[in-house]
Structure formats: C-alpha cells, structure tokens
Amino acid sequence: MTSIALFEPGKKKNHIAQLWDAFTREFQVSKIDSYRLPSNYTKTPDEQSLLAAHLVSRLRSEQLKRRYGYGQSLWGSIRAHQEINKISRGTKVYAKQIHHLRAELAATGANIASSWCPLKHPRLLFRLAAQLNCTPLLHFEDAPFPGFFVADTKGINMGNSLSDDPHDYQQFGAHGDSAIEALKSSIQERAPISKSIASRMGIRSSSTIPENFIYCPLQVDEDTQLINYGGWCDSVLKFIDSIYTASRFLPNDWSVVIREHPSSKRSFTKKLLKLADDKFVLDNTGSSLERVKRCRAIATINSSVGLHGYLFDKSVITLGRAMWRFGHMAIEAKCPVHLAELFASPDSWSHSIQERKAFLDYLTKFELMPLPKLEGGTARFCPKAKGILDRKVAEAANLIPEN
C-alpha cells in the first residue's frame, strides 16, 4: 500500500481540517506537523537546501511587500538565484528548516508526500524538501468552484498537469449542460474578512451601472496566483492601470466595472476613486455573481471569476496565465497595447461554447472532488471523491524514481 507523508502545520481552516481527517482515514498517512527547528538543532544544511532557501526568502519577501503596497515580482527558479553573495539570517533559517524537513520526510519512509497549496510559506518549505528528496508531491487546493477541492501531481492553478489542448477534452464528449447547471448553483459569495474591509465593500463611484460593461474583479495582490502566473500583468496595480488605459478605447456605449476583492487586506479604493469616470466605474456593492450574470464580458488576470463566466456564456479576456485559458475558450491579452486594441472592439469577441462545455464536463467528472461531509461527527469522502483521489495517489506513486 502506498504510504503518504502529510505536511499539516499550524492552524487550519475548518474545511481543510475535515479534508485531512477524511484523508487519513482512507489512506496510510504519516503526519509532519511542524517546520520549526528543535531547540538543540545543530546540523548544517547542504548546498541544495541553501539554494532552495533563497527562493523561499525572495517569495516570502515579495508577498509581504505586496500586502503593504510596494515591491515587484521576484519569483523565479532556484537556478536564477544561485549567485547570491550575501546570505541573510532569514535565508539561513529557511535552509535549516528545509534540511530538517528533508530528514523528517525521509524518516517517515513514505512513498509520496502531500500538502495543501505548497506555493506559500511554510508549505513551500515542504514542497522544496520533497523535491530535493525526489519524493513525488500531491498538491491539494481549493477548486475554482466552491464546495470542491482538487489534487494534482504537478502543481496548482496554471502549474497543474491538465492538458492545454482542447482536443484532449473533446474525446470525453461535450455533454457539459448538466455540469454547468450544477456548478452554477454551487457558486457562493465571499464574505469580507474584517469590518474595515466590509466598509469599503459598500462603495460605488456611480449611481448607475452601465448596460454594456466589462466586469473586472480585482484579486489579492500577494497571492502566488499573481506572483507565479501573472505574466506581464503580475500585480493588482498593473491590472488597474492597464484596464484604465484600455477603457479609454472602449466604444461610447461601453464601460468597465471594477470590484475590489473582499479578502484583500490592502485597499485600492482611493486610487480607484481618483480614476473613476463614466468609462471606469468602481462598484464594491452587491454580489460579484450578479455582476458576472449582468456583464457583457469579463477581464481578469487569472481569477476563477473568469472560469465562472464560462457558465453564463460570457466572453473572457485574461491578462495573465490561467489553467482554463487555451484553445478558443477565452482571449489572451498579450500586452497593454493588445488589451487596448481588444477593448476598442468588444462586440467582435468570440469563444467556443463546445470547447468550454467539454472542458467543464471533464473537470466535473475527473478533477473536481466534493469536500468531505460530516457523518455522525466523522468527515468522509463521497464515492466520487474517493475514486478520483485513488487515481491521483496512484498517479503520484507512479512517479517514484526507480533505484
């Protein structure tokens, strides 16, 4: 039986805790619950762990900078950070933690490793430890639709192992109508995480919302979804500036509607209100889902709102890299100039409904797993989720290098 090492540090959200409870009942799991060093830890990390620690240090620094409003993306490969003369104290600590996690992982004797969203600190430490130990890692994350989760052997979001060839999904049949209706009913609104954020989510720059508008939801700036896969538009500030400039080229009867993210700890309200006019409307009120239903199109870096737009047959433009943007399902704005050109003729945008249906049908059947339900106080997977997980674990086990 495949043995799995699960990295489960610190406090977890309720749905993640329930998922791990169900997971440990279904599979042979060893838990690693801390990345912190023992007080008597004296081992010196090797060069591989030190190089990996540089990556953690850069990404961690970038995420913190973005939260407080400054900094540029510094994400890159380990190789990109090999020649660094000054080693900070924090980097040395990360190196020791990675070295320690490598030893902890090896001690479990597990065939594969698993973690929730291992692109963020401290789970990134474990991801790099597994990589350096040549241990396959099963990446878990919330699905783009509420109530579901996903698991992948390669990564999450744009980094996952899904094919980007639309023909690979056509073979399963474009019978996505029932899947689309089920996913429509699953979408729920995010609630603001604090009173201060709730207050700005009641702001609107105009008394009316235009009939022909492009919905442009903001994302959380320090999210690795932007830092890793933002492409040329890897920050919320770049997105705002690019959308504002492109809105100048819209036809007379078109506008954009901007909405801030209810989970973002950083406010962009002042900047948005300064830019607001009849072509560029800030509207934090009401429901994001209602904006999706009412809009003529959606423009996003790579938010799941773009994928939600597929359910309501909306044209979608991506400024960054998204795992659901390939074929003719959406339009990729390749640079700010291209975005402005696209905004100049929004009535000409098109997409393939059949490709979208086939893709959504595949996701529903083979990727999206319902979160476990409590049965008598015990979290359990439904048969569908268990079946997909069995396949995912088997795929990870097949990646184990031969001796």
Side-chain angles (χ1 to χ4, degrees), residues 289-304:
L289 182 58
E290 287 304 312
R291 296 286 171 266
V292 173
K293 291 177 180 179
R294 283 189 53 197
C295 72
R296 290 284 303 276
I298 296 169
T300 175
I301 300 176
N302 49 22
S303 167
S304 59

Side-chain angles (χ1 to χ4, degrees), residues 164-285:
D164 59 1
D165 185 345
H167 295 99
D168 289 339
Y169 303 100
Q170 296 287 353
Q171 61 179 305
F172 297 98
H175 307 298
D177 290 335
S178 60
I180 287 174
E181 291 306 314
L183 291 173
K184 277 183 182 179
S185 63
S186 77
I187 300 176
Q188 301 171 0
E189 293 299 316
R190 292 179 183 268
I193 60 176
S194 69
K195 289 183 179 179
S196 61
I197 293 176
S199 65
R200 75 165 181 257
M201 294 311 293
I203 295 175
R204 176 189 281 186
S205 67
S206 174
S207 59
T208 59
I209 299 298
E211 180 178 353
N212 296 322
F213 71 90
I214 303 168
Y215 180 41
C216 304
L218 302 189
Q219 295 173 243
V220 178
D221 201 35
E222 68 267 22
D223 196 326
T224 51
Q225 174 83 322
L226 298 192
I227 298 174
N228 292 16
Y229 308 119
W232 66 266
C233 188
D234 59 1
S235 74
V236 171
L237 283 175
K238 287 183 183 178
F239 180 73
I240 292 172
D241 290 339
S242 298
I243 293 295
Y244 176 78
T245 300
S247 71
R248 307 301 93 183
F249 294 84
L250 284 169
N252 291 332
D253 57 342
W254 281 75
S255 302
V256 299
V257 170
I258 301 283
R259 188 174 192 269
E260 294 188 83
H261 197 290
S263 295
S264 177
K265 296 180 180 179
R266 182 182 173 196
S267 173
F268 296 91
T269 307
K270 286 186 178 180
K271 178 179 178 66
L272 292 168
L273 288 175
K274 286 181 179 178
L275 296 174
D277 57 20
D278 59 342
K279 289 289 185 186
F280 189 86
V281 178
L282 168 63
D283 183 18
N284 289 341
T285 64

